[in-house]
Amino acid sequence: MATAMVQGALAANLSLTSVPFTLSSKTVAAPQGIGAVMHTVDAGGPKGAAEVGLAKAGLDGICVHAVQSVDLPVIGNLGTWSLNISSPAAATPLTSDQLVAGAGLQANKLVLDAQALKASTATLHAADGSPNVIGAAADSEGIKSTGITDGTPGQFGLDATGGRTDIKNLNADANAATISGAITLPDLAIGIAHGDKGC
């Protein structure tokens, strides 16, 4: 009975609102490139966040991992719990070409509000008529096309939407992720674990 009550309480009270999480993927291919802008700056310290947008993205696996302390009225503190949302990478790693062609997880207008975004390698392709621009206006049409619609006019941005972006071993420390439109998640798994346990 107590176990059932605790499980029900977790299901009802565990929330990702304002809870930082990590998002990782083995390989990401964005056929329409990537954009980034400064989003918020913490006036009380050195932390801030950037918005990073991909108009279209194919991902070979994804793991969203959030950790939260669960404190319930009457019952008290239940300790630290993890919420993991995952769609595993393919048994045989997918290439960027396969991801662009529709294999793996597909997302439209994927926008991350992130303190940090890292990758083992990232290739930002460009065309002669559409070069990558470091220092583009945060409200430029290229950046808007990635799904970032609230860039402040005149502020600093990265517009690398002139060609495909290929990312290996993406790892983002994020506050939020939004996707406009449908997302396909092969072999989706959502689970809760006691402690700090990733996918």
Side-chain angles (χ1 to χ4, degrees):
M1 175 92 168
T3 302
M5 286 174 55
V6 170
Q7 288 173 343
L10 283 174
N13 291 289
L14 190 63
S15 168
L16 288 181
T17 304
S18 301
V19 176
F21 62 93
T22 60
L23 182 148
S24 57
S25 182
K26 195 169 192 175
T27 305
V28 180
Q32 297 166 30
I34 190 171
V37 300
M38 188 183 313
H39 183 50
T40 57
V41 175
D42 181 0
K47 290 186 177 180
E51 275 187 303
V52 179
L54 305 167
K56 183 169 175 52
L59 301 93
D60 187 9
I62 191 171
C63 170
V64 175
H65 170 64
V67 180
Q68 184 170 347
S69 177
V70 178
D71 203 357
L72 300 177
V74 181
I75 295 175
N77 190 299
L78 298 178
T80 299
W81 290 78
S82 297
L83 172 65
N84 295 312
I85 304 168
S86 65
S87 179
T92 301
L94 297 171
T95 66
S96 293
D97 289 339
Q98 289 173 311
L99 293 169
V100 167
L105 183 158
Q106 296 291 315
N108 293 312
K109 302 251 193 250
L110 171 61
V111 178
L112 293 172
D113 183 12
Q115 288 93 31
L117 189 146
K118 298 178 183 178
S120 59
T121 60
T123 304
L124 285 62
H125 299 277
D128 288 341
S130 301
N132 295 327
V133 180
I134 299 172
D139 64 334
S140 70
E141 287 306 311
I143 290 174
K144 285 181 181 177
S145 73
T146 69
I148 299 172
T149 58
D150 57 354
T152 303
Q155 288 198 345
F156 187 95
L158 166 67
D159 183 349
T161 58
R164 186 170 91 188
T165 294
D166 297 323
I167 300 171
K168 294 287 186 189
N169 299 315
L170 171 70
N171 194 294
D173 295 324
N175 293 320
T178 59
I179 298 168
S180 301
I183 182 170
T184 304
L185 293 157
D187 300 315
L188 171 66
I190 300 174
I192 294 175
H194 189 248
D196 186 352
K197 297 176 183 173
C199 303

